[in-house]
Amino acid sequence: MTTILTILAALGVAGALAYHRANGLAWSIALAAGAAWLTWATGTSLATLTVAWIAVGIFAGLSVVKPLRRALVTRPIFGIYKRILPHISQTEQEALDAGSIWWDADLFTGKPDWKKLLGYPEARLSAEEKAFLDGPVEELCGMLHEWDITHERMDLPPEVWKFIREKGFLGIIIPKSFGGLGFSAFAHSEIVTKISTRSGNAAVTVMVPNSLGPAELLIHYGTEEQKNHYLPRLAKGLEIPCFALTNPEAGSDAGAIPDFGIVCKGMHEGREVVGLRLTWEKRYITLGPVATILGLAFKLFDPDKLLGGKEELGITLALIPTTHKGVNIGRRHIPLNAAFMNGPNSGKDVFIPMSWIIGGEKQVGHGWKMLVECLAAGRSISLPSMSMAAGKLCSRATGAYARVRSQFKTPIGKFEGIEEALARIGGNTYMMDATRRMTLAALDMGEKPSVISAICKYHMTERMRSIVNDAMDIHGGKGIMMGPNNYLGHAYGNVPIAITVEGANILTRSLIIFGQGAIRFHPFVLKEIAAAGANDLAGFDRALWGHMSFTISNAARSLWLGFTGGMGVTVEAAPETRRYLQMMTRFSSAFALLSDVSMFVIGGSLKRREKISGRLGDILSLLYIASATVKRFHDEGRQKDDLPLLTWAMYDSFFKLQVAMDGVLDNFPNRFIAAGLRLLVFPKGLTLNAPYDKVGAKVASILLTPGAARDRLTAGAYVPNDENDVIGRLDFAMLATIKADPIEAKVRKAVKDGLLPQRTLAERRQAAVVQGIITQAEMEHMVYTDRLRKEVIKVDDFEHDLGRKGEPAEETWQQTDSKKKAVVASM
Ligand SMILES: Cc1cc2nc3c(=O)[nH]c(=O)nc-3n(C[C@H](O)[C@H](O)[C@H](O)COP(=O)(O)OP(=O)(O)OC[C@H]3O[C@@H](n4cnc5c(N)ncnc54)[C@H](O)[C@@H]3O)c2cc1C
């Protein structure tokens, strides 16, 4: 019994030391105290005591006397480490160096500082930005009709193009000193979000020049001459930019583009100058067909060493007027029937002067780094904003539609099956907006969080996909029949575009999020790699022992917090969120442990084990999204009405965290280690539940009920106060339906009581007025509601030939085929 108690006490002390990340000295003192206790308080044999004291001496010597540790233990490990260190390619290295680390790094520590999170400033609009949103953005939205843009013109109307250019929409990010709007990242996102709730095509047109492209590249890397020439012209819309990276052979693997330039002499403006001869083939280029300047990425070679250095100079970026001789541009793709401009372009042996390289000769070969750095900002804004727009639009419109549309004499939103889908729409929208806002605040603080931008791009577009699918299901046929009355079909069609651009999603999840995050944000891995690269034994020693203590600590924390569910962790937060943050501390410790052991066991091939690293990336992402959600709840003043959204979001996140961790453990290559890890990560098994149905019902009710919570959730969407507008009408119909409900109930009761035997609805209502069951005004309201409801559920229909009467009939494929056969037969 005493022995068992002794072992338990020793384990308790060791666990407490590990949990609190005690240093070597503290461990040595504890071990010495243990040995002393054995010596004086127990009858342990002399031999055992001798072994114990020698062990304590060695441990203390190695952990406290650092030169001894370095010489005896670290040096041999250092040698092995340098031999097995995985090769990091130049493009990987540049991606690792680009951008900054932020809250994502805290999530890797196993011990996030929640006070720091809650203390980050909120994203806010300036008065000028707000005025722009309430003025030109509202006005632009009022000019946009997606059906007209997509099906009638396949382009934005000329007056919309003019408005976009003249009001500075193409220069949102260009500093005021160059004539742009110089707005914050948050304002930029709010603008794209609002436009996108009206027209995805207009949003893409505004978004692309303000995202990764010539303006962004010039602001950060352009020469003074380039900035002074192009930025004011871009800001005023006198130039339409596009940026061409993608080659038919190199899509996701953009670092492998075969497009090339050769440094050579050539004629430019009547003089012989040193320049580049470019050959390229690009496709999928947004705004390409209408662009006046083409940003181009290519690999540069200097075989004659005219620049004096290496022959292979690396990826380089240039800005070329599309009117330049040899530039082939103008044809067009049709991206899933969207109308925004997109197309291929090419050139062969096109000579340009050196001064057209973005940033001039100084930036030769730095193209990849420039792109990755700009992507860190742009990827956090463009597609997350468009995804957010889909979330807000679907929340607002689907809630209203599900309230107005009845089946089996019940609003469809009241059916439990629909409630489930509505809850997913509402819960995801709440989390997405939280993530968007927190990330934009980081950008506005000057951060360039590259891994967070990948998290936002992947998870916001995937959640948008889920939201739009749910919204389509709830709308049934109404979402399917295309025409001016369909406000969902275009969003549904555009989902794969968002999934594919700016880093296709599968690749982003499996290769980027954890692949880059694990090395960048781990408190010790990058230090170890850097020390090994610099042959710095002392630096390696510090990093290695810090790393060991970190891993042991996370193992202890994971086990303890797994038992307690994080209870007892000190968290300074509101009572509504404290428990959730404690649970996130538990998951953060378990994540840090899983990451470390995965990197150690799987090593350099982890980046090829995409199913494991994808799941680890999911864990990091879920922690980021869940922490942003808690912050949102705090920032918005802990709104009681939003509690169901917060609760749903937390349960959903924790359940998914559990699934992702379980997936890593189930598929971990070393089954013995996997079993040990499972014990540490899930000591009580899989105990977490998905959001309870009753919570989902409350979230659905927020979408189905006009009020502050619904308004907060959908703030920033374009909702015209106009019952003749297809979106505006939904709110009118919803309010009218809710007001009509008790009136209808009175009529129904009277019918049931046999007071209204009339045959038709109109007759029954009239009789109800005559009998004083309802008032005349109430009857008129029912008629008004009926009219709105009919408008809301209406879908479009067209002439049999879709109005193409009189146009010359096109040859059918059968006719073409028979003509071809006739020609062949006559030969
Ligand atoms: C509408 C639209 C607009 C665009 N606009 C522009 C633009 O303005 N400028 C520009 O330069 N480009 C643009 N693009 C190109 C876009 O960036 C590419 O389509 C994208 O990079 C993917 O390349 P890909 O289509 O060739 O797919 P591929 O690279 O062939 O990828 C196919 C699939 O394989 C997956 N995959 C690839 N490698 C891996 C891996 N290692 N691990 C796991 N999965 C992997 C991808 O995730 C994807 O699911 C646009 C594309 C579209 C559709």
Side-chain angles (χ1 to χ4, degrees):
M1 189 62 188
T2 322
T3 315
I4 293 174
L5 285 177
T6 309
I7 292 171
L8 285 178
L11 283 175
V13 173
L17 286 170
Y19 184 96
H20 292 290
R21 297 187 181 163
N23 60 19
L25 185 63
W27 277 97
S28 303
I29 293 170
L31 284 173
W37 183 79
L38 281 181
T39 309
W40 286 290
T42 63
T44 312
S45 70
L46 186 64
T48 311
L49 285 177
T50 311
V51 172
W53 278 107
I54 290 174
V56 171
I58 292 175
F59 181 88
L62 289 178
S63 54
V64 181
V65 189
K66 292 193 179 133
L68 192 69
R69 180 179 77 193
R70 272 205 290 272
L72 295 180
V73 186
T74 312
R75 190 179 291 282
I77 300 176
F78 191 45
I80 299 170
Y81 189 89
K82 281 194 288 187
R83 275 202 304 282
I84 60 166
L85 185 68
H87 172 70
I88 297 182
S89 69
Q90 197 197 335
T91 43
E92 278 174 317
Q93 189 60 53
E94 286 182 356
L96 284 174
D97 293 341
S100 57
I101 58 173
W102 191 59
W103 178 244
D104 35 358
D106 282 63
L107 295 171
F108 254 95
T109 61
K111 214 176 167 182
D113 178 353
W114 301 117
K115 202 171 160 199
K116 178 168 140 192
L117 172 87
L118 300 178
Y120 284 135
E122 273 180 78
R124 283 193 193 283
L125 295 174
S126 68
E128 186 194 358
E129 291 166 345
K130 191 159 178 343
F132 190 81
L133 271 154
D134 294 341
V137 179
E138 280 278 316
E139 203 180 327
L140 174 63
C141 289
M143 295 164 79
L144 299 169
H145 301 284
E146 197 68 333
W147 175 254
D148 173 59
I149 293 169
T150 311
H151 290 265
E152 307 293 342
R153 304 171 186 271
M154 270 308 263
D155 195 359
L156 302 179
E159 63 277 13
V160 169
W161 271 109
K162 189 163 174 275
F163 189 83
I164 284 177
R165 286 171 145 159
E166 286 179 359
K167 296 289 174 188
F169 280 91
L170 302 183
I172 298 172
I173 60 165
I174 296 178
K176 284 198 166 63
S177 53
F178 290 104
L181 295 175
F183 281 173
S184 62
F186 183 47
H188 177 184
S189 168
E190 290 282 284
I191 293 168
V192 173
T193 302
K194 183 167 269 189
I195 299 173
S196 202
T197 56
R198 192 62 173 175
S199 160
N201 290 298
V204 169
T205 307
V206 167
M207 178 184 103
V208 168
N210 288 296
S211 180
L212 175 65
E216 173 95 1
L217 291 163
L218 285 172
I219 292 166
H220 295 290
Y221 310 102
T223 61
E224 284 311 305
E225 200 188 339
Q226 289 169 340
K227 286 187 200 174
N228 289 333
H229 175 72
Y230 278 118
L231 289 178
R233 295 179 59 75
L234 284 165
K236 289 197 187 74
L238 299 174
E239 302 279 5
I240 303 285
C242 70
F243 191 81
L245 171 66
T246 306
N247 174 286
E249 299 298 333
S252 302
D253 189 9
I257 41 171
D259 312 294
F260 64 94
I262 305 286
V263 181
C264 62
K265 289 189 177 158
M267 296 302 288
H268 180 66
E269 292 176 349
R271 283 189 309 126
E272 191 185 56
V273 293
V274 175
L276 327 172
R277 208 171 54 240
L278 297 172
T279 297
W280 76 92
E281 186 187 358
K282 303 289 190 183
R283 63 175 180 180
Y284 305 156
I285 309 308
T286 303
L287 294 186
V290 291
T292 58
I293 47 168
L294 165 72
L296 190 73
F298 52 88
K299 283 190 175 153
L300 189 59
F301 299 90
D302 185 11
D304 301 329
K305 305 236 171 118
L306 293 178
L307 300 182
K310 297 182 291 183
E311 272 187 39
E312 283 188 29
L313 299 174
I315 293 183
T316 302
L317 315 178
L319 217 49
I320 308 171
T322 51
T323 49
H324 188 59
K325 193 163 166 246
V327 176
N328 294 318
I329 203 162
R331 288 185 68 78
R332 185 172 176 185
H333 298 305
I334 303 178
L336 281 174
N337 284 340
F340 65 85
M341 288 292 168
N342 185 287
N345 62 69
S346 62
K348 187 161 179 353
D349 294 331
V350 177
F351 183 79
I352 65 162
M354 290 297 288
S355 60
W356 288 6
I357 291 177
I358 299 179
E361 202 175 320
K362 200 174 87 191
Q363 294 296 355
V364 161
H366 294 304
W368 188 248
K369 188 158 180 276
M370 290 156 73
L371 289 174
V372 177
E373 273 183 357
C374 288
L375 203 59
R379 195 161 50 182
S380 311
I381 300 176
S382 309
L383 292 158
S385 305
M386 291 197 77
S387 307
M388 202 57 260
K392 286 172 187 265
L393 178 73
C394 290
S395 293
R396 189 140 192 127
T398 313
Y401 184 78
R403 187 68 186 79
V404 173
R405 173 72 167 164
S406 286
Q407 291 291 300
F408 307 100
K409 297 199 176 88
T410 307
I412 58 169
K414 303 275 182 200
F415 296 121
E416 289 201 359
I418 298 283
E419 246 179 29
E420 264 189 329
L422 283 173
R424 280 193 297 269
I425 294 176
N428 278 316
T429 301
Y430 189 71
M431 283 194 267
M432 285 162 72
D433 213 12
T435 309
R436 178 185 74 107
R437 296 166 79 110
M438 184 163 104
T439 308
L440 293 166
L443 292 182
D444 285 333
M445 285 191 288
E447 298 290 343
K448 283 195 167 182
S450 52
V451 171
I452 289 178
S453 76
I455 292 176
C456 289
K457 195 280 155 166
Y458 174 81
H459 286 274
M460 304 274 285
T461 51
E462 288 295 338
R463 282 169 197 251
M464 164 180 72
R465 169 146 62 184
S466 143
I467 286 175
V468 174
N469 275 343
D470 278 329
M472 286 292 286
D473 290 356
I474 293 174
H475 279 76
K478 164 85 182 166
I480 292 166
M481 296 309 156
M482 293 303 279
N485 277 297
N486 187 331
Y487 43 84
L488 271 185
H490 296 112
Y492 181 73
N494 289 347
V495 165
I497 299 177
I499 298 287
T500 301
V501 299
E502 293 199 354
N505 273 13
I506 296 180
L507 168 127
T508 303
R509 170 177 181 259
S510 8
L511 215 60
I512 310 283
I513 297 177
F514 186 76
Q516 285 183 11
I519 299 185
R520 289 199 65 159
F521 306 139
H522 193 287
F524 299 102
V525 166
L526 210 52
K527 289 181 189 150
E528 286 163 356
I529 294 176
N535 209 15
D536 169 11
L537 179 64
F540 184 77
D541 178 79
R542 271 193 306 279
L544 179 73
W545 291 94
H547 193 162
M548 279 197 199
S549 141
F550 177 73
T551 310
I552 292 169
S553 157
N554 281 323
R557 292 176 61 81
S558 191
L559 178 68
W560 178 251
L561 298 174
F563 262 122
T564 59
M567 294 252 207
V569 174
T570 316
V571 174
E572 284 181 45
E576 302 94 329
T577 59
R578 193 172 301 133
R579 188 72 199 97
Y580 298 137
L581 293 178
Q582 288 178 328
M583 288 173 79
M584 275 192 246
T585 304
R586 172 205 167 180
F587 280 119
S588 173
S589 296
F591 169 57
L593 176 70
L594 282 180
S595 306
D596 256 330
V597 179
S598 302
M599 283 192 275
F600 183 71
V601 173
I602 308 176
S605 60
L606 185 54
K607 66 179 174 189
R608 285 191 299 280
R609 303 295 298 263
E610 293 186 349
K611 293 177 201 160
I612 298 278
S613 62
R615 290 184 180 105
L616 289 167
D618 289 346
I619 300 170
L620 173 65
S621 307
L622 285 161
L623 282 169
Y624 183 74
I625 294 167
S627 50
T629 307
V630 168
K631 180 165 167 54
R632 172 184 180 164
F633 183 75
H634 276 253
D635 286 348
E636 288 185 331
R638 296 160 52 201
Q639 299 292 333
K640 205 162 153 272
D641 292 350
D642 292 353
L643 269 174
L645 293 162
L646 175 76
T647 312
W648 192 94
M650 293 299 112
Y651 274 76
D652 184 65
S653 303
F654 296 156
F655 186 70
K656 285 179 177 156
L657 275 164
Q658 178 176 269
V659 170
M661 288 186 174
D662 188 37
V664 172
L665 294 170
D666 274 347
N667 296 284
F668 203 78
N670 184 315
R671 299 312 305 148
F672 181 70
I673 294 178
L677 279 174
R678 184 172 285 285
L679 216 62
L680 294 170
V681 172
F682 293 121
K684 293 199 296 191
L686 306 179
T687 52
L688 294 151
N689 302 312
Y692 290 109
D693 290 349
K694 59 182 184 213
V695 177
K698 287 184 188 162
V699 173
S701 161
I702 290 175
L703 267 57
L704 292 165
T705 318
R710 178 173 180 257
D711 288 346
R712 260 192 305 278
L713 189 68
T714 59
Y718 178 69
V719 185
N721 187 21
D722 175 3
E723 67 175 58
N724 294 315
D725 179 90
V726 66
I727 289 293
R729 182 185 300 140
L730 283 161
D731 270 13
F732 280 86
M734 183 191 207
L735 288 168
T737 306
I738 291 169
K739 191 173 160 194
D741 274 355
I743 312 172
E744 300 225 353
K746 281 194 263 182
V747 176
R748 266 201 308 275
K749 181 168 182 306
V751 171
K752 215 169 154 197
D753 294 346
L755 301 175
L756 301 171
Q758 290 76 6
R759 213 155 27 90
T760 67
L761 184 64
E763 285 167 355
R764 282 200 292 270
R765 284 176 176 171
Q766 197 56 54
V769 174
V770 173
Q771 292 182 41
I773 296 167
I774 57 172
T775 65
Q776 177 68 23
E778 284 176 328
M779 193 199 73
E780 281 165 16
H781 182 73
M782 286 166 88
V783 172
Y784 167 70
T785 306
D786 273 355
R787 180 174 66 70
L788 281 179
R789 188 181 51 77
K790 281 203 165 68
E791 285 290 311
V792 163
I793 64 169
K794 183 171 95 180
V795 299
D796 298 286
D797 45 45
F798 300 90
E799 292 184 16
H800 201 252
D801 63 354
L802 300 178
R804 289 195 184 130
K805 230 177 259 162
E807 287 179 17
E810 279 185 22
E811 211 170 50
T812 64
W813 68 268
Q814 291 100 328
Q815 286 164 337
T816 313
D817 204 40
S818 60
K819 262 193 211 164
K820 275 191 206 152
K821 280 183 189 145
V823 173
V824 173
S826 68
M827 279 161 59

